[in-house]
Amino acid sequence: MSVLGLTHRSPPNRETGFLAHRAGVDRLQASYRAIPAGSTVRLAKKTSNLFRARAKTTMPGLDVSGLSSVITVDPEARTADVGGMCTYEDLVDATLAHGLAPFVVPQLKTITLGGAVTGLGIESTSFRNGLPHESVREIDILTGSGEIVTATPDGDHADLFAGFPNSYGTLGYSTRLKIDLEVVKPFVALRHVRFRTVRDLESTMNTIIANGSYAGEVVEYLDGVVFSADESYLTLGRQTDEPGPASDYTGADIYYRSIRNESVKTDRLTIHDYLWRWDTDWFWCSRAFGAQNPRIRRFWPKAYRRSSFYWKLIALDHKYGIADRLEKRKGQPPRERVVQDIEVPIERTADFVEWFLREVPIEPIWLCPLRLRASGSSRPWPLYPIAPARTYVNVGFWSSVPAAAEPGATNRLIEKQVSAFDGHKSLYSDAYYGPDEFAQLYGGDVYTELKRKYDPDSRLLDLYAKAVQRK
């Protein structure tokens, strides 16, 4: 089926899709029962988008192999039922076939829908569409007790529904999610606007979010890149169905380099290529593997220009300590990995970025604004307490710095600064908080009660043990 100029794989019909999914759920529950009593329950999953090292285990894991499909797409209702382990790559292929897309599509193809909800995802629609869990209608969750429950916002297990985001599998694993979809057009017209100071960028970003437009033109996608204190950009996107040529950044040309200009630059991508514009070079991180060197890129297979392949290289480095060995051969100390996404209120964005540029030798930096969709609602998301009706900016930085004597010294410094600016930090990477501060930041008594109710025998890891202690 060809829609939006691309050929897509259609999902199965509703009956077939749900029958296949039911078989996958049966295998999942059988694998749960096979795990010895008293043993910690984990996923039997070969891939991950987490940057946290984890303790190894010899225990069998949960069989999630049957939860990776798009169960069904309903074009009229603009909804999709999706297995918890379905990747956004497969989900986008299925929905674009109907001229639809998820409200928020995280940047990397192998992020799963369940992972984005339980671990929080973000992208350039988040200033108008919030975070992935806000477009979820219901979730089937395998709890720590082995029971599968259906959680909804205002009905059964509403407490688990609210507490599931940012729980990272410590309250249960999603087996099925029903999500809302939005209509999309075939192309995205881009405008890259340069700023000489981050404070000017912050001010303009705030105005765009308030008005939904810039210079009389609607803005439907919004993110930014900071290259230095005096060179930063906002990229403004607008959907369009006007015919015409589109750029391709999956070959020799590299997307993030195309942003740089002297004032304002326009561009155009297919909606498919826009959604995955960051995946080809893992933002700019492919440079660490030499993949941006034209002489190497020429022979680098196109199928390997994607985040999932770079992840394999990172896994090899973690296993064999390749980077540290190379540093040692050059007479250099080991390096501390600084791979983080944090959020600060928009009015503190320039403060944080200016501090970061002074103190941490990492560039570029990604910026992505967000506001909760239910801005008029008091419904809390207790494990990641972003205030309603308030704009935040996600700041992403992914590299390494020379290691200091104290383990995680730079990461600890960043954590203190984020808290000082009334911000939050994602938990997909290294964290160093003490137990009391962690509880204050990530759910406290609410999390404790949810854990007691839905994992009474502590079959699943505790959030602090998983995020900070790396168990």
Side-chain angles (χ1 to χ4, degrees):
M1 182 176 187
S2 180
V3 178
L4 303 185
L6 297 167
T7 300
H8 300 284
R9 192 170 57 249
S10 295
N13 64 52
R14 181 179 178 85
E15 183 177 356
T16 302
F18 273 100
L19 284 173
H21 177 72
R22 181 65 252 177
V25 172
D26 289 342
R27 291 202 301 274
L28 173 74
Q29 290 187 294
S31 68
Y32 176 92
R33 291 190 293 270
I35 298 173
S39 299
T40 300
V41 175
R42 298 174 183 264
L43 297 182
K45 182 184 175 189
K46 295 181 180 180
T47 61
S48 172
N49 282 288
L50 297 178
F51 270 88
R52 283 187 266 104
R54 297 191 62 187
K56 294 181 179 180
T57 179
T58 58
M59 288 294 107
L62 293 174
D63 181 356
V64 292
S65 60
L67 306 179
S68 60
S69 65
V70 179
I71 302 167
T72 187
V73 176
D74 185 336
E76 294 185 4
R78 297 179 187 172
T79 62
D81 284 272
V82 183
M85 297 300 296
C86 178
T87 66
Y88 272 92
E89 181 175 25
D90 289 343
L91 177 56
V92 164
D93 277 355
T95 60
L96 285 186
H98 302 283
L100 301 168
F103 275 56
V104 180
V105 179
Q107 312 85 353
L108 307 181
K109 292 178 177 180
T110 56
I111 293 175
T112 63
L113 182 61
V117 170
T118 194
L120 302 184
I122 192 171
E123 234 295 319
S124 59
T125 56
S126 289
F127 77 101
R128 61 182 176 86
N129 285 344
L131 299 173
H133 57 269
E134 293 189 89
S135 55
V136 175
R137 292 192 178 189
E138 60 185 32
I139 320 174
D140 290 347
I141 300 171
L142 174 71
T143 67
S145 64
E147 178 187 10
I148 292 180
V149 302
T150 299
T152 60
D154 300 304
D156 293 338
H157 307 288
D159 56 347
L160 181 58
F161 187 92
F164 197 68
N166 210 48
S167 64
Y168 282 90
T170 66
L171 296 177
Y173 296 103
S174 58
T175 64
R176 178 191 63 91
L177 304 96
K178 188 181 192 69
I179 64 168
D180 289 317
L181 306 170
E182 67 175 0
V183 175
V184 292
K185 294 180 181 179
F187 299 98
V188 178
L190 300 178
R191 185 186 300 191
H192 307 300
V193 183
R194 177 169 179 166
F195 297 88
R196 306 291 173 176
T197 72
V198 181
R199 294 197 175 274
D200 286 343
L201 179 148
E202 175 193 293
S203 175
T204 302
M205 182 188 293
N206 210 5
T207 301
I208 291 171
I209 294 168
N211 299 334
S213 63
Y214 175 81
E217 194 169 277
V218 67
V219 175
E220 294 168 303
Y221 304 94
L222 178 61
D223 65 351
V225 177
V226 178
F227 290 95
S228 66
D230 59 2
E231 185 188 3
S232 57
Y233 300 86
L234 286 178
T235 294
L236 323 177
R238 165 182 68 83
Q239 294 184 30
T240 178
D241 52 13
E242 299 166 6
S247 297
D248 180 3
Y249 296 107
T250 62
D253 294 330
I254 297 169
Y255 174 71
Y256 84 95
R257 292 182 177 176
S258 74
I259 293 172
R260 308 183 81 166
N261 63 84
E262 287 304 313
S263 55
V264 177
K265 179 182 179 181
T266 59
D267 202 353
R268 177 183 169 93
L269 293 172
T270 66
I271 180 65
H272 176 274
D273 286 357
Y274 176 79
L275 293 176
W276 301 129
R277 68 201 184 283
W278 292 121
D279 188 85
T280 300
D281 284 283
W282 208 2
F283 286 83
W284 33 80
C285 297
S286 67
R287 64 186 179 183
F289 311 108
Q292 295 181 23
N293 183 320
R295 289 175 293 180
I296 297 175
R297 194 176 186 87
R298 179 181 177 185
F299 298 102
W300 194 289
K302 193 169 185 178
Y304 293 164
R305 293 181 202 147
R306 53 182 287 140
S307 61
S308 57
F309 181 72
Y310 305 132
W311 254 115
K312 293 178 181 178
L313 299 180
I314 289 287
L316 288 174
D317 177 47
H318 288 175
K319 185 175 182 179
Y320 297 108
I322 298 171
D324 284 345
R325 291 184 182 187
L326 293 174
E327 291 297 316
K328 186 176 182 179
R329 291 182 63 180
K330 293 186 292 185
Q332 300 295 326
R335 296 184 68 83
E336 176 188 349
R337 184 176 60 191
V338 182
V339 178
Q340 305 287 353
D341 278 74
I342 64 95
E343 273 97 38
V344 291
I346 192 168
E347 66 272 14
R348 304 308 301 270
T349 302
D351 293 335
F352 178 82
V353 171
E354 289 171 354
W355 171 85
F356 187 90
L357 292 172
R358 289 193 307 268
E359 301 294 333
V360 184
I362 291 177
E363 55 75 29
I365 304 168
W366 186 57
L367 305 178
C368 185
L370 66 121
R371 284 175 67 90
L372 294 181
R373 283 178 64 198
S375 59
S377 170
S378 60
R379 177 185 297 135
W381 304 102
L383 272 60
Y384 205 76
I386 291 177
R390 190 174 191 185
T391 302
Y392 295 80
V393 175
N394 176 283
V395 185
F397 36 92
W398 317 293
S399 189
S400 63
V401 299
E406 180 188 27
T410 299
N411 283 282
R412 295 173 192 270
L413 186 65
I414 291 168
E415 288 179 354
K416 291 178 182 177
Q417 202 66 33
V418 170
S419 294
F421 288 157
D422 195 22
H424 312 81
K425 172 180 161 177
S426 297
L427 295 176
Y428 69 84
S429 189
D430 299 316
Y432 295 88
Y433 298 109
D436 292 341
E437 183 180 11
F438 186 87
Q440 183 180 4
L441 292 170
Y442 300 106
D445 292 341
V446 174
Y447 176 74
T448 300
E449 176 59 24
L450 287 170
K451 190 72 171 168
R452 183 200 63 76
K453 181 176 180 180
Y454 291 102
D455 186 21
D457 298 322
S458 297
R459 297 297 306 276
L460 306 173
L461 283 170
D462 173 83
L463 186 58
Y464 184 78
K466 196 169 189 177
V468 181
Q469 298 175 328
R470 305 178 187 178
K471 293 185 178 179

